[in-house]
Each structure stands twice: as C-alpha cells, then as structure tokens.
C-alpha cells in the first residue's frame, strides 16, 4: 500500500509534497521519494526507511520548484524499488497493482526497454513513454487503458513542464483545489493544510492539471465536470492533538465522533430518524440483508446483524468480504448487501460489492472516507463522519459504524412497523448519554492501564462475550494482536467449553466481557467455570455489579445503561484502551504495527 502526493501551483513543491506525505505515513513507511522538475531536467530523490530519511536526503538542498510528485511506500526495501521511477523524460508515482505486469513487461522488453527495478510500476512508466507522441495526458490515457488491476498515478514529463497528469482506477485519488494551485493525493489529510475543497475522481478518470486549470476526462476520453466537495475536517483533526499516538487520540475522540455520526440524522425526543440516503429503498419488500466487510468493519457487521434482527425483523447474514464472491447465491433486488468499510477502498470489500451488484442485489455502502470508491459504486451510501482515522488499528470508525447500523436497524424497524417512535425515543434517551459515559471511562483510563500492565507479558489471550458482546470479544482480540502482537482470539463465550478452555492456565488469560446485558448471568457462569479450572481471568462488568460480581483476578467497570445495546459502545472502549496500554507497555510502534496497513488495496 502506498500514498502519493502531487503538487502544481504557486507554493514550494518540495515543502508541500513532504508535508503531504507526512500525513500519509500511516499508509507505508519502508521508502519514500520525490521528483521535481529543475530547468530542462528533473531531480529525483528517494530514500529507504521512514520519511525522515527522505527529509534528511533533502536537507541543505534549496529546491525552488512549484510542481512535483512524491510517494511513500510499504514493502520497498531498496532505493531502486522506491518511487518515483523514470523512463527518460517521463517520471511517475503509482499506488496500486498491475495484474498484467508480466505480459506488459515482456512486450516492453521486446521493444528494447530496460528495467531498473522489480516494481510493477515501472511497466506503467515505460508504457507511457512508449506511447508518448508529444501529449503527456494522451500517453497516460493510452497507457493506463492497457493496465489490468488498480492504479492511482501521477505523471510528469520534462518535455511538458507545468503539466501534472493524474489518473485512477480502483485506487484512491482526490484533488485538492485552492486559489493558487492543486494538490493530488491518495487521502484527504495530506491536503488539509492547503485546502478543504476536493474533487473526487471517478474510476477511470484522468485529470490534466496546470497551475491554473484542471481538465478531467472520463474513461471514454470525454471531457467531464466533477463536482467539488467541501470537507469540514480541520488540520487538528488530522493531527495527534498532543496525544502520544493517533490510536489513543482517536479513542478519546469517540464521545465527539458519536455525536458527529448522529448529527442531522435524529430528533431524539420524537424517536425520529432521517436517512435521506435510503429514501429510494423499497423497505416493505426487503427480504434479506447480507453484510460484507473485513477486519474491524466485519466485527461491526456482526453487531449489525443483531441490531437489524432485533429491531427490524429482517433475516441477516454476515460474510467476510473475501469469501462472498465464491458463494453460489441467487440474489435479487429484495436483497440488500451492506458493505462496511472505513476507508471505502479495501479491495476485498469492493470486489464483494461488485459481486453483489452482479448477482442482482442492491448495495448500501457505509464508509468513513468521503468520496471513497465503495460509496461511489454502490446503490446507496451513508458516511459515518468519524473524521480522518490515522491509526492503523481502527477505533472511532468502529463505534461510528456500529452506531450507523443501529440507526439503520431502527429506521428499517420503524418503516416496517416493528419498532415504534416511542421505543426509538427510549433508546435515543440512553444513547445521548453514551458520550458522557465514554468520557467517564476515559477519565478512569489509568485503571485500565494498571490492569493492562499485569497482562502485557502474556503470550496468548482469549476474549469471550455473548450475544451483544460476542462481536466485541472478536474486536478486542483483534485490537490486542494488531497493536501488541500478543496472540489473541475472540469467541462467543459458550464456545469456551468446546475447546479453548483446555488452553487456560495462569499464563493464558481470559478476558470476559460481561457488562449489564440480558445474557450477563449466563456469561457469569462460564466465567466461574474458567476460574474454577485454574484460569487467570480479567473481566468487564457494569458498575451496578461492582460489589457483586463473580470472582476474577482483575475487574474493570463500565457505567450502567438502561438500554443494553449501549453497553456495547462502552465495553469496546475498555477493550481498545486495554490493547493500547498493553502495546504501549511493550514499547510497540502503535500507530504503525508491523506488516499491517490501514486499507488493504
Ligand atoms: C485492514 C486494517 C484493519 C481494517 C481492515 C478493513 O486490515 O488493518 O484495521 O479493519 O483493513 O478496513 P476498511 O477500511 O475496509 O474498514
């Protein structure tokens, strides 16, 4: 996974691009590079390792350019494989995968091109060069038409100074617009210091950008207008705000992001919900819902199943996105597939969405990143409005996703006359207190840290929940393994007896998630069994059980809730903090865990 930034305008290009790349470091951190035209030539500087190494390579060099392109990359451990790469007068950065790389490379080798790197990107660079007949944008258009796979490219040519060409298919690319120039980048935070106005390119679009003008062509080569979206995020939202890591900052943002997700969608006292995005949906004839997602978004989907079955009485399945295309399913327009993705760019989820559309279903995308591919290609799209999530381990996006699905469940239930406004108003009454309850947990975070310190040296962990907390058990375990590298598994608590209990001992602890939910008593009995068998047990209970909970080694507490669904939002915050403090205690690079990337493209 990579991040790209291109700038053309009145600003210093090197400073603008390096600053932009620094906001994309979460995308990749094994190499970085920059190319800026200089007179009739081009200066290309690349460095292996973190962005700081590129900054060091640039230090002392006064480069007065006003356009250029830059790249930050995951999994490139040699300078030659870092971008930008070059074919004579053409210089290019690329994010994506060229699936027909071998076939194109063979043709280019036969045509006499020599390859310097092992990257699939170099194929595109030479291809553009081979098709160049005096018009850079035409050459890029013709070249990418031959590429199978995903690409977001930024290309420049020393023969055509003052032109930046940007093109995308299946990889993200947006263009920030300001009075004196343009910034093309893979993600919004890279451009926020310059602008909040963005053009989001559709799949197959190509943009020819000069310092004062932008022309966009669609995949048929026709010149087309794409609207400009205004993003409310401010720079601070994309920065760490004084916290040590983005993960802990984003955990702390949840009281606010929960309200941002709700904003404009509900009148709490009246129990009314507005989801204009779904106004065309034929709710009465909806027969089946299938959630499709990966990772944390898949865990939010597991909660979604419970919410929708409970409040809308519609049968729901949840599929791992990467498995869905292989199912033999007969779908029709009365099936709604809900694809959840923070980034909206995860390839497995996009492929699943396309498969669902091909099978005849309607698709609702729930994304956080505005203008994401998933949202654009689906039948309906709802944004979670959690703001930029930088930490690879997802936290605030999860709570916003879960909340969005709760709203959808209640909205569907109300339209199908399964749940009435009075019931919804009761739920909202409790929901409106969730932010302050999360704040209460955050104020007590030292208690979570103290317990995490006791467990951080464990090599293994099992998380257990039942009904509403079963998905939280999976999410808690994922957070722990992603950030601390402790092996952790999440299970519905009942499954403990069917295998995992054999593993429990003093060195293999169990985390029970047993806040005040209807099935709490039945988790208590499994907890007691785990303890009786010699397990080391930490548990999350509700305040009301502080003096009356089953015996365990360490207990953590969440505020009491009237509506049991609300306990989900509190319990997951404890699980997030627990994972964070284990990782912190172990000295992990929390925002950039090894081998992981924010979106798997
Ligand atoms: C990657 C990230 C996970 C994330 C998953 C799905 O694996 O490391 O944290 O949950 O992708 O991402 P999405 O953007 O589709 O929600």
């Amino acid at each position: 996974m990579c991040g790209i930034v291109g700038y053309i305008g009145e600003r210093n290009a090197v400073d603008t691009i390096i600053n932009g790349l620094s906001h994309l470091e979460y995308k990749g951190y094994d190499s970085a590079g920059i190319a800026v035209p200089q007179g009739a030539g081009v200066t290309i500087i690349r460095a292996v390792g973190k962005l700081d190494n590129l900054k060091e390579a640039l230090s002392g060099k006064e480069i007065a350019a006003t356009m250029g392109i830059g790249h930050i990359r995951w999994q490139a451990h040699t300078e030659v494989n870092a971008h930008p790469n070059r074919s004579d007068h053409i210089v290019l950065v690329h994010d994506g995968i060229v699936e027909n790389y071998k076939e194109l490379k063979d043709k280019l080798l036969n045509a006499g091109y020599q390859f310097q790197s092992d990257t699939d990107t170099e194929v595109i660079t030479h291809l553009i060069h081979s098709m160049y007949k005096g018009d850079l944008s035409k050459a890029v258009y013709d070249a990418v038409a031959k590429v199978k796979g995903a690409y977001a490219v930024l290309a420049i040519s020393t023969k055509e100074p003052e032109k930046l060409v940007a093109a995308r298919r299946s990889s993200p690319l947006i263009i920030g617009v300001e009075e004196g120039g343009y910034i093309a980048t893979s993600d919004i935070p890279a451009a926020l210091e310059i602008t909040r106005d963005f053009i989001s390119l559709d799949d197959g679009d190509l943009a020819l950008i000069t310092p004062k003008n932008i022309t966009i062509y669609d995949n048929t080569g026709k010149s087309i207008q794409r609207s400009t979206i205004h993003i409310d995020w401010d720079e601070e939202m994309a920065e760490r705000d004084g916290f040590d890591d983005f993960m802990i900052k984003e955990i702390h943002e949840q009281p606010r992001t929960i309200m941002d997700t709700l904003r404009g969608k509900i009148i709490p006292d009246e129990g009314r919900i507005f989801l204009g995005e779904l106004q065309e949906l034929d709710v009465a004839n909806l027969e089946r819902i299938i959630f499709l997602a990966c990772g944390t978004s898949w865990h939010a989907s597991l909660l979604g199943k419970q919410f929708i079955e409970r409040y809308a009485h519609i049968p729901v399945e949840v599929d791992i996105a990467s498995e869905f295309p292989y199912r033999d399913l007969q779908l029709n327009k009365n099936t709604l597939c809900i694809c959840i993705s923070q980034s909206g760019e995860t390839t497995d989820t996009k492929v699943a969405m396309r498969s669902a559309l091909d099978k005849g279903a309607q698709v609702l995308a729930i994304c956080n990143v505005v203008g994401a591919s998933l949202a654009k290609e689906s039948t309906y799209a709802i944004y979670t409005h959690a703001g930029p999530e930088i930490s690879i381990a997802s936290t605030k996006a999860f709570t916003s996703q879960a909340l969005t699905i709760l709203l959808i469940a209640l909205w569907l239930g109300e339209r199908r006359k399964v749940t009435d406004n009075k019931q919804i108003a009761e739920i909202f009454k409790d929901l409106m207190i969730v932010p302050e309850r999360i704040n209460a947990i955050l104020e007590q975070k030292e208690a979570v840290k103290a317990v995490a310190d006791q467990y951080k040296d464990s090599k293994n962990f099992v998380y257990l929940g039942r009904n509403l907390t079963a998905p939280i058990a999976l999410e808690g375990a994922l957070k722990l393994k992603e950030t601390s590298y402790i092996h952790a598994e999440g299970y519905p608590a009942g499954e403990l007896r069917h295998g995992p209990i054999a593993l429990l001992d003093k060195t293999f602890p169990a985390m029970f998630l047993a806040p005040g939910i209807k099935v709490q008593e039945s988790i208590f009995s499994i907890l007691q069994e785990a303890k009786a068998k010699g397990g080391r047990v930490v548990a999350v209970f509700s305040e009301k059980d502080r003096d009356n909970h089953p015996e365990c080694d360490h207990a953590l507490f969440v505020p009491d809730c009237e509506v049991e669904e609300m306990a989900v939002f509190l319990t997951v915050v404890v699980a997030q903090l627990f994972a964070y403090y284990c990782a912190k205690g172990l000295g992990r690079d929390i925002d950039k865990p090894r081998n992981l990337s924010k979106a798997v493209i």
Side-chain angles (χ1 to χ4, degrees):
M1 184 184 181
C2 315
I4 59 178
V5 180
Y7 177 75
I8 185 161
E10 292 167 2
R11 294 173 185 264
N12 178 295
V14 174
D15 294 349
T16 308
I17 292 167
I18 294 294
N19 180 50
L21 292 177
S22 71
H23 294 280
L24 298 181
E25 260 193 299
Y26 69 93
K27 282 184 172 267
Y29 35 86
D30 292 335
S31 72
I34 188 166
V36 283
Q38 292 274 273
V42 59
T43 299
I44 300 179
I45 299 177
R46 301 181 295 201
V48 171
K50 295 198 175 187
L51 185 62
D52 281 344
N53 299 354
L54 177 64
K55 287 185 190 162
E56 202 170 313
L58 283 162
S59 73
K61 295 188 174 63
E62 288 298 319
I63 305 177
T66 52
M67 70 169 284
I69 54 179
H71 190 270
I72 190 156
R73 172 153 195 217
W74 186 51
Q75 280 182 343
H77 304 285
T78 58
E79 196 201 318
V80 82
N81 282 337
H83 300 202
N85 68 42
R86 178 176 189 173
S87 180
D88 183 24
H89 62 99
I90 303 288
V91 186
L92 184 105
V93 291
H94 166 228
D95 172 24
I97 296 166
V98 182
E99 284 166 8
N100 55 339
Y101 154 80
K102 179 89 183 62
E103 170 199 329
L104 293 174
K105 185 170 180 178
D106 287 346
K107 282 188 187 155
L108 288 159
L109 284 169
N110 283 338
Y113 282 94
Q114 288 181 357
F115 282 75
Q116 310 296 323
S117 71
D118 306 320
T119 66
D120 53 351
T121 298
E122 200 176 346
V123 161
I124 310 181
T125 319
H126 289 314
L127 204 54
I128 295 171
H129 182 268
S130 72
M131 296 181 144
Y132 184 83
K133 296 189 186 73
D135 181 344
L136 178 63
S137 63
K138 172 87 172 68
V140 174
Y141 181 85
D142 291 342
V144 294
K146 301 228 172 287
V147 169
K148 289 196 184 128
Y151 63 80
V153 293
L154 299 174
I156 56 176
S157 163
T158 55
K159 291 193 175 177
E160 294 181 67
E162 307 230 312
K163 272 189 194 169
L164 170 65
V165 175
R168 73 166 285 257
R169 189 206 301 140
S170 293
S171 289
L173 185 60
I174 45 144
I175 297 171
V177 183
E178 64 161 350
E179 186 78 17
Y182 297 90
I183 181 165
T185 173
S186 338
D187 205 355
I188 290 165
L192 280 181
E193 282 189 25
I194 293 189
T195 185
R196 275 169 197 76
D197 294 320
F198 293 91
I199 298 171
S200 160
L201 297 180
D202 275 15
D203 245 8
D205 279 358
L206 177 147
L208 169 60
I209 315 171
T210 65
K212 300 229 171 310
N213 196 30
I214 179 165
T215 315
I216 300 173
Y217 301 91
D218 69 9
N219 59 1
T220 66
K222 196 171 76 191
S223 165
I224 191 146
Q225 291 289 326
R226 297 276 179 230
S227 53
T228 305
I229 321 166
H230 184 78
I231 307 276
D232 282 336
W233 301 353
D234 57 30
E235 284 159 40
E236 287 226 337
M237 283 173 82
E239 292 297 341
R240 277 203 302 273
D241 245 357
F243 287 98
D244 284 357
D245 314 271
F246 278 108
M247 181 179 176
I248 190 72
K249 176 194 171 224
E250 288 161 4
I251 290 172
H252 277 79
E253 283 178 325
Q254 290 174 108
R256 191 193 74 221
T257 52
I258 281 181
M259 294 318 284
D260 288 346
T261 299
L262 292 174
R263 189 153 295 126
K265 290 197 168 69
I266 64 170
I267 301 181
D269 298 347
E270 296 175 17
R272 289 173 65 200
I273 304 169
F274 305 96
L275 291 177
E277 300 92 333
L278 295 180
Q279 65 188 10
E280 302 289 322
L281 183 69
D282 180 0
V283 175
N285 287 312
L286 211 52
E287 290 165 359
R288 175 183 192 185
I289 288 179
I290 308 177
F291 279 96
L292 306 169
C294 307
T296 289
S297 299
W298 180 66
H299 299 152
S301 304
L302 294 170
L303 275 176
K305 173 181 163 73
Q306 299 193 34
F307 293 160
I308 291 175
E309 288 181 343
R310 182 171 296 188
Y311 291 114
H313 296 185
I314 303 171
V316 181
E317 294 163 60
V318 182
D319 238 346
I320 301 257
S322 56
E323 289 293 318
F324 179 75
Y326 306 107
R327 287 182 69 186
D328 275 330
L329 280 181
Q330 304 305 313
L331 304 180
N332 60 33
K333 65 178 173 32
N334 296 330
T335 300
L336 180 68
C337 289
I338 305 183
C339 295
I340 307 186
S341 171
Q342 187 285 132
S343 62
E345 301 296 345
T346 299
T347 296
D348 287 333
T349 312
K350 288 199 287 187
V351 171
M353 171 195 64
R354 289 174 192 144
S355 165
L357 289 171
D358 285 349
K359 289 178 164 114
Q362 302 194 68
V363 174
L364 162 63
I366 299 178
C367 301
N368 190 41
V369 175
V370 176
S373 306
L374 200 71
K376 285 179 159 187
E377 289 182 43
S378 55
T379 329
Y380 314 99
I382 295 181
Y383 291 110
T384 48
H385 298 297
E389 190 177 69
I390 308 297
S391 162
I392 285 182
S394 186
T395 53
K396 62 176 181 169
F398 175 82
T399 40
S400 285
Q401 289 167 343
L403 184 53
T404 302
I405 312 161
L406 179 62
L407 291 187
I408 293 169
L410 296 170
W411 182 87
L412 288 170
E414 196 254 343
R415 263 158 192 73
R416 289 166 75 97
K417 306 205 183 320
V418 175
T419 303
D420 63 26
N421 296 110
K422 202 161 153 274
Q423 280 170 283
I424 297 174
E426 282 301 309
I427 294 168
F428 284 169
K429 204 164 136 199
D430 218 28
L431 177 57
M432 300 319 279
I433 315 170
V434 164
E436 81 192 44
R437 289 175 180 144
I438 293 180
N439 274 327
I441 295 171
L442 295 172
E443 277 161 23
Q444 303 289 318
K445 64 186 178 198
E446 286 302 315
V448 184
K449 180 178 180 303
V451 176
D453 285 343
Q454 304 282 322
Y455 289 86
K456 69 175 178 12
D457 296 313
S458 310
K459 297 280 172 272
N460 301 287
F461 231 106
V462 62
Y463 281 63
L464 300 147
R466 172 160 280 190
N467 189 225
L468 286 166
T469 61
I472 307 303
L474 271 62
E475 176 59 7
L478 178 64
K479 286 291 86 82
L480 190 68
K481 62 186 144 197
E482 277 180 321
T483 56
S484 68
Y485 317 146
I486 296 170
H487 167 239
E489 299 302 332
Y491 281 97
E495 281 298 290
L496 185 71
R497 294 170 171 140
H498 301 288
I501 200 162
L503 298 169
L504 296 188
D505 62 20
K506 293 290 169 218
T507 67
F508 194 137
M511 161 86 82
F512 278 83
L513 305 177
I517 51 175
K518 284 184 195 126
V519 296
Q520 182 196 46
E521 290 299 324
S522 63
I523 311 185
F524 281 6
S525 74
I526 301 170
L527 187 160
Q528 281 159 332
E529 190 177 337
K531 194 77 198 97
K533 297 274 188 310
R536 190 171 179 224
V537 171
V538 54
V540 180
F541 301 115
S542 285
E543 272 301 336
K544 67 176 171 51
D545 296 316
R546 192 176 272 273
D547 300 321
N548 188 29
H549 59 75
E551 191 206 330
C552 60
D553 296 274
H554 294 90
L556 293 163
F557 299 92
V558 295
D560 299 329
C561 299
E562 294 295 317
V563 178
E564 63 168 353
E565 280 81 358
M566 301 309 138
V568 161
F569 295 95
L570 310 182
T571 309
V572 76
V573 174
V574 174
Q576 293 165 350
L577 287 170
F578 184 81
Y580 174 80
Y581 285 120
C582 284
K584 196 78 185 159
L586 292 165
R588 305 294 190 223
D589 191 354
I590 293 178
D591 288 333
K592 296 168 193 161
R594 68 185 181 207
N595 305 338
L596 295 176
S597 62
K598 185 70 187 149
V600 180
I601 295 179

